[in-house]
Amino acid sequence: MIKTSNLKYEITDIAHEEYPFLRRIRALRDVGDQVKAGDLGGFVESESNLGTDPSDCAWIFDDAIAAGDAYVDRDACLRGDAIACDRAYISKGSVMSGHSRAEDNAYLRGASMTGKALASGNAQIIHDPHTMGTPILSGNCKVYGTIQGDVRVTGSAVILPCEEVRNDTRDTFVLSGKSRSVIRGIGRETLKPLQKEVSHMKTKTLKKRGVER
């Protein structure tokens, strides 16, 4: 057993078949709703790959890997055969699954990656807290630049290091291969009347104050 110093998980002697320097983790306590004490997780190179705070639900599932100086914390998780390596930082509820890979200095904050999606270089895949837009990478896409908000990058799309796609609208931007499209938000095409009651109350208030509109 590898010596560990945290109360959340331990690093077992179970080595990865292809990369024997990686070892499986085992939960020492319940982690969130999906991990029970004693459950085996994915693979890490050291404790520096996965947050150790018992209150943090971050976890590595299945055969997923966090290696090198990659770090997973703040309720983020790796599933399937996903890989976070080099100095990648996976945080704030991000989910990597399938055969997705985050490498170099890639940063995921509240984002989703699946399929064979790749985040490389100084890529930033960031959730927009104002519009609640979540970036989703799938297919064989490769992102080296910045994606923020409700943006879906799929197929064979490539975002170059100098490119920034920031969506602060209520619509969804879709980048697939060389094509780009928009999915309109629900109700965006429907016209709605002003709230007459609110307008009426405002008029009464103004009249009380001696102001005529």
Side-chain angles (χ1 to χ4, degrees):
M1 193 73 61
I2 306 299
K3 185 177 180 179
T4 51
S5 60
N6 74 86
L7 301 176
K8 179 178 175 180
Y9 64 90
E10 61 185 356
I11 300 176
T12 72
D13 291 324
I14 305 173
H16 191 280
E17 291 185 5
E18 184 175 358
Y19 305 108
F21 60 92
L22 300 174
R23 303 297 174 94
R24 278 198 189 277
I25 57 174
R26 177 185 288 115
L28 295 175
R29 60 194 301 155
D30 292 356
V31 180
D33 297 328
Q34 300 183 51
V35 180
K36 301 300 180 183
D39 285 356
L40 289 173
F43 296 88
V44 299
E45 188 168 347
S46 72
E47 277 189 19
S48 299
N49 296 133
L50 175 64
T52 58
D53 185 339
S55 66
D56 183 355
C57 295
W59 192 250
I60 301 171
F61 294 85
D62 310 316
D63 291 323
I65 293 171
D69 287 325
Y71 190 52
V72 181
D73 75 347
R74 304 183 74 174
D75 301 336
C77 68
L78 273 56
R79 297 179 177 275
D81 295 294
I83 295 176
C85 59
D86 300 324
R87 295 162 300 282
Y89 181 25
I90 318 301
S91 189
K92 287 196 173 181
S94 294
V95 178
M96 293 181 62
S97 61
H99 289 84
S100 60
R101 181 184 181 102
E103 60 186 18
D104 298 329
N105 295 305
Y107 173 42
L108 272 66
R109 187 179 76 198
S112 174
M113 290 181 63
T114 188
K116 294 184 178 180
L118 171 69
S120 188
N122 293 310
Q124 296 189 59
I125 321 297
I126 304 171
H127 166 83
D128 188 322
H130 302 294
T131 63
M132 302 305 291
T134 299
I136 299 175
L137 276 57
S138 62
N140 291 290
C141 72
K142 296 175 174 58
V143 175
Y144 294 80
T146 298
I147 301 293
Q148 182 171 340
D150 190 357
V151 182
R152 300 178 189 177
V153 187
T154 186
S156 58
V158 176
I159 305 301
L160 301 176
C162 59
E163 286 191 287
E164 294 186 8
V165 182
R166 300 179 184 271
N167 181 11
D168 58 1
T169 75
R170 289 182 290 158
D171 298 329
T172 300
F173 294 176
V174 181
L175 287 62
S176 178
K178 295 182 179 179
S179 68
R180 298 189 173 189
S181 59
V182 174
I183 298 176
R184 295 283 282 164
I186 297 175
R188 293 275 274 158
E189 304 295 338
T190 303
L191 298 178
K192 297 179 180 179
L194 290 174
Q195 296 182 16
K196 293 183 179 180
E197 184 63 26
V198 172
S199 179
H200 176 67
M201 293 298 294
K202 184 177 180 181
T203 300
K204 288 178 66 177
T205 300
L206 289 172
K207 285 183 176 180
K208 285 183 179 180
R209 293 177 181 174
V211 180
E212 292 293 338
R213 299 192 66 183

